[in-house]
Amino acid sequence: MAVHEVKCYSTETKCNVQNKMVDCRHLNMTIVPSNLPVYATSINLSRNSIQIVLGFTFQYFKNLTELDLSSNLIQSINKNAFHGLHSLQSLHLDHNFLQVLPIGMFENLICLQHLWIDHNKLQYNQDEQMTETSKMSSLRSLYFEIYPDFKFPSKWSTLSNLTHLEIFARSAKVKFNKEMFTHIKKIPITFLHLEKVPSISEDFFEHFPKLDSISLWLGNDLPTNPIDQVFKSFGVFKSRNMTNIEIAYSRFDNGFILNWNRLKYLCSICLKRLTLHDLYIKEISLYAMQVFSVRSTCLEYLEISKNLLLDQGGSLFTFVQNFENLKVLKSSSNKHHSRGKRSQASILFSVTLPQTLEELYIEDNIDDDLVDIKLMNGHNLRVLSFKNCKFWSCEGSFSGVINVEYFDMSGWSCEKLSIDLLYGFPNLQTLKASGSLGKGFANIARAGSFLSKNLKLQDINFSSNRINSIPNGLFLHPFEQLSSVNMSYNNLTIFPKFHASIQALKKLI
């Protein structure tokens, strides 16, 4: 791939050009350079110190489809700045200091589909501003911010192709209510993202009849926790089919219990994906999870991550087998505490999975000795990750994982290691074991047999394990399609030896 360097406004500043894509990020530019290649299809000028964009700056870029001017110091844009950009589809003007959008600025952008104008100082109560943005009939996604008492402009109702809307609240005094978006019901919005939700009314979503996906990032600097209002607002979707609901980023010291009074609003929705991330959930009600798991017959993806489950997630896995169509389950970073004195490990830990489950992620959740783990109903499981779980003694083994193709045990702390650990993975193709095996290999007899039952492996990552020497015979097995082995950041002095039958190895690090 050819790489061309283009000199910008000074001899010390250079943009990188690859495949008609121009990258000028982080170059301390104060103006848009005048000698960029006119054949470019993408120009990224973000994270500089540009203050003004002059007229006709981009008039010769007939093939430009994406222009990124975000995260600069732009206060002024000439109304003819984007003249000639008839092919432009994406325009990033966010994170600047714009107070107005000049009349006529968007007139020639006949193909513009995606516009970012959030995190500026724009005032949407000015008629000329509304008229200007309403001209972009081809617009599909719009990113903007609002202030208290905001009303969705009636002139924006002409944006008949707008389906993706992301709104950023400028103040903790913003109250999302039905009256704010009276005119939006004429627009086929299918995706809505709200960032910072101080308050939301029960009827807020009534003006979004086509809504299919919701992302709510509640915010941490709010006067009160709006979590009850959020769940109640989903009541308008009763009996609706929806693809995704995400609730994230709201941590209050007292936390909250995920109980039936909250989950009941989701049970009546035919919902495919649910994400509850970084909300300080301290407990999941057994009754609520039992009913939710039975009634959520459409749910295919469930993620509960970065919370503080004082019950260690037990209520989640007690009823997980009840989910009729669940394909992906993620429980990550849900409890954090220092390692105390370990109790006597159980001989067997058994979990019954939904028969439909294909991917299971239990990451950064466990701080204990690894016991024998039996996953029942795991015949459809293809991905299994226990990444960053603090297993200290890795002398257990896995069963019920016969069809798993991807296994991640990175970040374990194996002081002891069983050669039987991976025997239950005969169809394993990718093994991630970065930073987890160093001490274990040193304290195990016949360590060379560790991979003897995994002959279908294609990708092995043993990086950052501080391995001084490779166990005898570790790679001397007749792997059928081994193509990549990562041994970087170890203490090896001798090149590893491989079985003579291995012909497909393409990458050895």
Side-chain angles (χ1 to χ4, degrees):
M1 181 185 295
V3 178
H4 308 279
E5 289 189 341
V6 181
K7 293 182 180 180
C8 297
Y9 75 99
S10 73
T11 57
E12 291 81 19
T13 304
K14 297 179 180 180
C15 297
N16 205 12
V17 182
Q18 296 187 22
N19 258 8
K20 299 182 181 181
M21 300 177 68
V22 181
D23 186 355
C24 303
R25 292 174 296 170
H26 298 286
L27 296 179
N28 296 318
M29 294 180 177
T30 57
I31 62 172
V32 177
S34 60
N35 55 347
L36 297 175
V38 295
Y39 57 80
T41 58
S42 174
I43 297 178
N44 192 336
L45 291 158
S46 65
R47 301 188 182 279
N48 282 291
S49 300
I50 299 170
Q51 300 182 37
I52 187 171
V53 184
L54 301 174
F56 306 100
T57 297
F58 301 100
Q59 62 178 323
Y60 299 114
F61 295 85
K62 306 298 182 184
N63 299 315
L64 195 65
T65 59
E66 181 173 12
L67 176 59
D68 193 340
L69 290 164
S70 65
S71 299
N72 276 281
L73 305 174
I74 299 174
Q75 301 179 40
S76 173
I77 299 178
N78 184 277
K79 71 174 185 177
N80 294 313
F82 306 125
H83 179 82
L85 296 181
H86 302 302
S87 299
L88 193 66
Q89 297 178 14
S90 299
L91 177 59
H92 300 256
L93 298 174
D94 53 289
H95 292 86
N96 279 292
F97 294 87
L98 292 170
Q99 296 186 18
V100 296
L101 301 174
I103 297 176
M105 186 173 75
F106 299 118
E107 282 185 358
N108 295 308
L109 304 182
I110 56 176
C111 292
L112 191 65
Q113 297 181 18
H114 313 289
L115 176 63
W116 288 259
I117 54 176
D118 55 282
H119 294 89
N120 278 286
K121 299 183 179 299
L122 297 171
Q123 296 296 322
Y124 299 102
N125 57 352
Q126 300 175 12
D127 287 342
E128 61 270 20
Q129 298 289 291
M130 300 306 99
T131 302
E132 192 57 36
T133 49
S134 67
K135 294 177 182 177
M136 299 175 288
S137 59
S138 60
L139 206 62
R140 295 179 181 272
S141 62
L142 177 61
Y143 305 71
F144 67 100
E145 58 186 351
I146 64 173
Y147 46 85
D149 302 321
F150 169 84
K151 302 291 183 184
F152 190 84
S154 59
K155 294 182 179 180
W156 281 6
S157 61
T158 60
L159 302 176
S160 58
N161 290 309
L162 189 64
T163 59
H164 185 113
L165 196 62
E166 300 206 13
I167 303 172
F168 305 83
R170 185 181 292 178
S171 164
K173 296 180 180 180
V174 169
K175 296 182 179 180
F176 289 96
N177 54 58
K178 183 179 178 180
E179 289 70 29
M180 294 175 69
F181 292 90
T182 302
H183 302 289
I184 204 170
K185 58 185 177 182
K186 299 178 181 179
I187 304 175
I189 301 296
T190 59
F191 177 90
L192 176 64
H193 171 76
L194 304 181
E195 185 165 326
K196 186 179 283 189
V197 186
S199 172
I200 187 167
S201 64
E202 292 185 31
D203 58 0
F204 172 73
F205 292 112
E206 286 187 4
H207 285 317
F208 296 84
K210 303 289 185 181
L211 201 58
D212 180 63
S213 185
I214 302 172
S215 173
L216 304 179
W217 292 9
L218 306 186
N220 296 325
D221 55 344
L222 305 179
T224 58
N225 192 343
I227 197 67
D228 284 324
Q229 295 178 12
V230 168
F231 278 103
K232 287 180 181 179
S233 70
F234 298 144
V236 301
F237 300 119
K238 185 177 181 179
S239 302
R240 286 261 298 270
N241 296 330
M242 296 190 69
T243 298
N244 178 64
I245 290 180
E246 176 193 34
I247 312 172
Y249 303 112
S250 177
R251 296 182 68 86
F252 286 78
D253 291 340
N254 56 345
F256 71 95
I257 298 174
L258 191 59
N259 56 25
W260 176 242
N261 286 333
R262 296 177 173 111
L263 276 179
K264 66 182 180 181
Y265 295 101
L266 298 177
C267 286
S268 60
I269 307 172
C270 184
L271 178 65
K272 289 186 176 181
R273 294 174 60 97
L274 174 62
T275 300
L276 304 174
H277 176 77
D278 200 8
L279 294 173
Y280 212 89
I281 299 172
K282 61 183 181 182
E283 184 180 339
I284 300 177
S285 163
L286 283 170
Y287 171 75
M289 183 51 63
Q290 181 182 20
V291 179
F292 179 69
S293 63
V294 171
R295 295 187 183 180
S296 299
T297 56
C298 300
L299 198 65
E300 298 179 0
Y301 177 101
L302 175 60
E303 177 180 347
I304 301 179
S305 56
K306 204 174 181 182
N307 293 286
L308 182 63
L309 296 180
L310 302 182
D311 65 350
Q312 302 183 7
S315 54
L316 175 61
F317 289 99
T318 300
F319 301 108
V320 67
Q321 73 272 17
N322 294 339
F323 288 103
E324 187 176 318
N325 289 296
L326 195 65
K327 295 180 179 179
V328 180
L329 175 62
K330 293 187 176 182
S331 175
S332 304
S333 304
N334 278 320
K335 66 187 186 74
H336 301 277
H337 56 79
S338 60
R339 178 194 177 199
K341 183 178 180 180
R342 301 201 300 269
S343 59
Q344 182 67 32
S346 302
I347 297 174
L348 176 67
F349 176 70
S350 178
V351 178
T352 302
L353 304 176
Q355 296 187 19
T356 54
L357 199 67
E358 298 174 0
E359 301 179 21
L360 175 61
Y361 303 84
I362 304 175
E363 300 177 340
D364 194 20
N365 277 354
I366 303 174
D367 190 350
D368 211 335
D369 291 331
L370 176 65
V371 298
D372 290 335
I373 295 178
K374 183 177 182 179
L375 301 179
M376 293 182 286
N377 290 340
H379 53 275
N380 283 317
L381 199 63
R382 296 295 183 272
V383 176
L384 179 61
S385 177
F386 282 87
K387 182 179 179 181
N388 292 330
C389 289
K390 295 298 184 289
F391 288 126
W392 302 92
S393 176
C394 306
E395 294 185 292
S397 62
F398 290 83
S399 61
V401 293
I402 189 172
N403 292 315
V404 169
E405 299 174 352
Y406 179 103
F407 180 53
D408 195 339
M409 53 181 289
S410 299
W412 291 14
S413 303
C414 297
E415 299 170 354
K416 298 179 181 179
L417 186 65
S418 169
I419 61 170
D420 300 335
L421 184 66
L422 301 179
Y423 280 17
F425 298 86
N427 291 296
L428 194 62
Q429 298 179 15
T430 300
L431 173 61
K432 303 293 184 183
S434 177
S436 57
L437 297 174
K439 291 183 179 179
F441 274 149
N443 296 325
I444 180 177
R446 298 187 297 115
S449 301
F450 188 65
L451 302 175
S452 62
K453 304 297 183 181
N454 314 111
L455 301 183
K456 293 186 178 182
L457 274 171
Q458 299 178 19
D459 179 12
I460 301 173
N461 187 336
F462 283 166
S463 63
S464 304
N465 278 301
R466 298 182 181 179
I467 299 174
N468 295 316
S469 61
I470 296 175
N472 291 332
L474 183 63
F475 296 123
L476 290 176
H477 305 292
F479 299 108
E480 298 170 10
Q481 299 182 33
L482 187 62
S483 60
S484 175
V485 177
N486 188 343
M487 298 295 298
S488 61
Y489 299 101
N490 283 291
N491 301 319
L492 297 176
T493 57
I494 300 177
F495 194 78
K497 296 180 180 180
F498 295 90
H499 193 274
S501 64
I502 298 177
Q503 304 292 330
L505 192 61
K506 299 177 181 179
K507 186 176 181 182
L508 176 62
I509 301 176

